[in-house]
DNA sequence: ACCTGAACACCGTTCAAGT
DNA sequence: ACCTGAACACCGTTCAAGT
């Protein structure tokens, strides 16, 4: 569903050079994503990313306060794309809250498999430690709001149990995020991104069933 | 339940100096845990850890092949302690599989809250990339075996649904790990480790309910 | 056998200087 | 306004030399 489009970073940078590089800020972000995709966020180097777009490493400081700020820009792009992807999933699924909730969780995992570099920056390093980048928090909340809303709808229709919607929604987030983490850390081996998404739907089913009202007492 | 005991690292190193430091290897591991607890695994520095035990940074290479090997030693200690903690939880809980499974998952979260430095190293950096540290993998599998075993027991007693035990067990791991990750990254704010554990039990309940046989069809 | 001290190649950050 | 190039303080790793 999602289409990766960072391969053209270097070309774009060379083409539309305004002063020296057109929009160096965006070129740096794109190059960073490419590097992180190939070698992980911990191997990511400011000097290397500057080198990739053909600029001295000092030049990056004209566009980002420090290395963390560049990573935060990657993360924010990611959260916005995640919100959009989840939003599309919920909008295009006319079935009831139960299936829409499944779609939302699946879309989350799908996004992670499709944009692993973004996801790892989003979930990895402790950016925003002392409240820098408040827009980052906003983007997270926006994506999470879809889950809460869908839980509420299901409760109103009587198909989900009546507990604080936030608690139930957090369970969904916990499952989707925990699953992706296990896959990325290779604790859980999967043959392909497609298989990873399918297997998540299976693992997620008990939780979905457990959301039903009047939980069954044990036999 | 668990008692942290790394504060005495420097003292112990000074007391029982055999050649220069008694067991420098263990002293380095203990000092590393202390540093990571205070400032996170990404701020962790080999030079600083050597300095903390009163030794030149080059000396560490007599005991660990490189920085990753030292972190792997921390992680392995952690996995063994986790296995022991989970093992105690399941052994001391005579109630049925359902409550024992809850105890296992809770013990997992408890461990993470009690030994955050260990947990973050265990779950954080991609150690064991190319199959180094196979004993690390073994320790992980050992802890996970408790979950699978309990699922099987519940299936035999007819209180859990009959699906591959590994799938259902992975769901438990996903929830516990995903929850801890959200707490550590402060996406989920909790007042204390104790509250964190209690709140997990609440979030986990739908999954536990969903493990029951014959899932309820939606209304 | 174990540790020191100096060296090496690298890193993020800063800043005068160029255009 | 934007970038360069050199400098600074740091890092992991290596290795001859000391005990």
């Amino acid at each position: 569903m999602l289409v990766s489009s960072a391969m053209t970073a270097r070309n774009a940078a060379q083409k539309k050079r305004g002063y020296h590089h057109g929009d160096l800020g965006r070129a740096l972000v794109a190059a960073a994503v490419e590097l992180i995709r190939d070698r992980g966020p911990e191997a990511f180097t400011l000097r290397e990313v500057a080198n990739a777009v053909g600029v001295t490493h000092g030049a990056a400081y004209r566009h980002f306060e420090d290395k963390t700020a560049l990573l935060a820009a990657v993360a924010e792009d990611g959260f916005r794309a995640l919100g959009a992807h989840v939003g599309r999933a919920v909008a295009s699924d006319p079935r009831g809250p139960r299936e829409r909730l499944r779609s939302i969780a699946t879309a989350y995992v799908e996004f992670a498999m499709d944009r692993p570099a973004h996801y790892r920056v989003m979930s990895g390093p402790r950016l925003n430690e002392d409240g820098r980048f408040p827009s980052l928090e906003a983007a997270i909340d926006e994506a999470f709001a879809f889950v809460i809303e869908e839980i509420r709808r299901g409760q109103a229709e009587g198909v989900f149990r009546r507990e604080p919607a936030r608690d139930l929604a957090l369970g969904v987030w916990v499952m989707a995020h925990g699953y992706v983490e296990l896959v990325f850390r290779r604790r859980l081996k999967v043959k392909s991104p497609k298989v990873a998404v399918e297997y998540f739907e299976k693992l997620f089913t008990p939780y979905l069933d457990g959301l039903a009202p009047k939980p069954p007492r044990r036999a």
Side-chain angles (χ1 to χ4, degrees), chain A residues 51-68:
Chain A
N51 205 308
V53 310
V55 107
T56 300
H57 59 276
Y61 288 85
R62 197 64 39 186
H63 300 266
F64 299 99
E65 212 179 317
D66 55 16
K67 191 190 179 188
T68 304

Side-chain angles (χ1 to χ4, degrees), chain A residues 6 11 56 68 74-75 90 100 110 113-114 116 121-122 127 129 134 147 155 169 177-178 180 183 185 212:
Chain A
N11 307 347
T56 300
T68 304
V74 173
V90 67
R100 267 201 304 269
E110 225 171 52
M113 298 303 146
D114 209 74
V121 174
M122 289 154 71
L127 318 164
E129 194 67 346
V147 185
Q155 288 176 324
H177 175 60
V180 170
V183 170
R185 297 274 141 81

Side-chain angles (χ1 to χ4, degrees), chain A residues 2-167:
Chain A
L2 292 168
V3 182
S4 138
S5 63
M7 289 295 298
T8 54
R10 192 140 50 239
N11 307 347
Q14 285 171 342
K15 248 188 238 168
K16 57 169 296 197
R17 45 176 65 234
Y19 189 79
H20 271 116
H21 266 97
D23 190 346
L24 182 55
R26 294 229 60 80
L28 289 170
V29 169
V33 168
E34 203 171 343
L35 279 175
I36 292 164
R37 169 152 38 72
D38 296 344
R39 304 213 301 275
E42 54 282 329
F44 160 77
T45 274
L46 209 56
R47 292 171 108 105
E48 200 172 5
V49 90
N51 205 308
V53 310
V55 107
T56 300
H57 59 276
Y61 288 85
R62 197 64 39 186
H63 300 266
F64 299 99
E65 212 179 317
D66 55 16
K67 191 190 179 188
T68 304
L70 174 50
L71 283 173
V74 173
E76 191 169 338
D77 280 5
F79 280 115
R80 294 213 186 292
L82 171 62
H85 187 59
V86 168
R88 272 193 301 276
V90 67
S92 68
D93 196 333
R95 297 168 293 174
R98 189 181 195 273
E99 293 309 312
R100 267 201 304 269
L101 191 60
R102 187 200 290 278
S103 290
I104 290 173
T106 301
Y108 185 98
V109 174
E110 225 171 52
F111 172 85
M113 298 303 146
D114 209 74
R115 292 237 216 295
H118 279 101
Y119 192 90
R120 286 169 73 176
V121 174
M122 289 154 71
S123 74
R126 250 157 299 310
L127 318 164
N128 208 26
E129 194 67 346
D130 37 304
R132 304 172 70 188
F133 321 123
S135 59
L136 231 173
E137 298 298 317
I140 297 173
D141 293 345
E142 200 180 315
F144 187 55
F146 284 111
V147 185
I148 294 189
E149 194 185 333
E150 205 54 49
I151 297 274
R152 290 235 167 84
R153 212 169 335 209
Q155 288 176 324
E157 294 187 20
V159 301
F160 292 151
R161 57 169 71 185
R162 299 206 162 276
E163 273 173 47
R166 185 172 169 274
D167 295 354

